[in-house]
Amino acid sequence: EAEVALVGRSNVGKSTLMRELTGHSKFDTGGKPGVTRQPNHYDWTAEDFVITDLPGFGFMSGVDEEYREQIKTNIVHYLEEYADNVLVGILVVDGKSVIDIIDRHSGPDEIPYDVEMFHFLRDLDVPTVVAVNKMDKVDDKDERLNELCDRLGLYPPWKQWQEVIAPITAKRGQIDPLNEAVRTHLHEQGRDD
Ligand code: GDP
């Protein structure tokens, strides 16, 4: 069955978004970061594909480096194996902190997770949408989104990339830009029946 895959660092609001997308309420939110470790499949409301929640990656308290790397490796393997089946990849980031985190982890020998994952999905030919969550906490929204484009190698302004950059506030159910962007990609693939 065709699927939409959700990836993102821990605590960006992936569970909250899943709840909004699926209408289910059984997801753990606000609990321990990184509790979702296995790929989980849920049916997207009223659509004929499943949505896969891949484990959160990056820092998690009480989880050692080796285990973190293992989680990341699992995600990469999963995506490589199922790339042909994945209609759209959704990379969820925290709009409040994403630029700081990317810049902190950028260096001659270091590529930040979010940037790496974005390019990895695109290299696999998986159409990718970046769901920029927690926009309710961002003051200068345009500036933040332009900066994100810059870090991802997309030429600003972000408004040119609305099928890629989707500012949302999952907590309040404000996810229309994401639905629109996903729909655009499904449409391109002739799956918007
Ligand atoms: P996950 O680890 O990625 O699954 O993140 P969760 O869904 O558990 O959310 C982590 C924290 O971010 C929780 O305290 C959520 O209430 C909060 N959160 C999620 N979405 C939003 C949002 O749109 N705005 C704000 N301000 N907080 C959010």
Side-chain angles (χ1 to χ4, degrees):
E1 198 175 1
E3 66 179 274
V4 170
L6 229 77
V7 298
R9 301 178 71 96
S10 310
N11 213 39
V12 293
K14 239 150 50 73
S15 313
T16 307
L17 177 58
M18 277 294 276
R19 207 176 41 205
E20 282 303 320
L21 290 172
T22 63
H24 296 186
S25 54
K26 64 187 175 187
F27 307 104
D28 263 333
T29 53
K32 267 196 193 133
V35 285
T36 321
R37 284 182 186 136
Q38 299 300 318
N40 292 307
H41 302 261
Y42 302 95
D43 294 322
W44 190 310
T45 318
E47 301 281 352
D48 66 344
F49 49 81
V50 293
I51 171 163
T52 307
D53 184 17
L54 292 165
F57 52 86
F59 177 79
M60 294 160 228
S61 57
V63 174
D64 65 26
E65 174 76 31
E66 196 182 328
Y67 189 54
R68 276 200 320 257
E69 280 305 312
Q70 187 58 51
I71 291 172
K72 204 176 118 188
T73 304
N74 290 348
I75 295 170
V76 166
H77 286 168
Y78 181 90
L79 290 170
E80 280 172 341
E81 189 170 346
Y82 295 105
D84 288 347
N85 202 44
V86 178
L87 298 173
V88 179
I90 301 176
L91 171 65
V92 188
V93 301
D94 178 340
K96 179 78 183 171
S97 60
V98 65
I99 302 298
D100 288 343
I101 290 176
I102 287 177
D103 289 352
R104 200 186 312 146
H105 293 282
S106 298
D109 306 313
E110 205 182 359
I111 301 169
Y113 278 133
D114 293 314
V115 177
E116 186 180 14
M117 201 52 78
F118 180 72
H119 292 299
F120 175 69
L121 285 164
R122 290 174 41 126
D123 288 346
L124 289 174
D125 281 327
V126 173
T128 303
V129 178
V130 183
V132 191
N133 192 29
K134 308 196 188 183
M135 287 306 287
D136 57 310
K137 296 209 278 184
V138 178
D139 292 329
D140 196 335
K141 296 182 169 56
D142 287 332
E143 189 188 330
R144 183 63 48 86
L145 297 168
N146 287 339
E147 284 176 322
L148 182 59
C149 279
D150 172 72
R151 302 308 190 272
L152 295 175
L154 306 171
Y155 203 79
W158 77 272
K159 294 253 187 199
Q160 295 188 137
W161 297 100
Q162 293 193 54
E163 77 287 3
V164 182
I165 302 290
I168 61 169
T169 298
K171 200 165 122 175
R172 294 186 192 155
Q174 294 164 355
I175 60 167
D176 286 354
L178 177 61
N179 284 327
E180 278 305 308
V182 169
R183 214 169 282 139
T184 304
H185 292 295
L186 297 179
H187 178 73
E188 281 164 2
Q189 299 172 63
R191 294 206 46 121
D192 63 331
D193 40 69

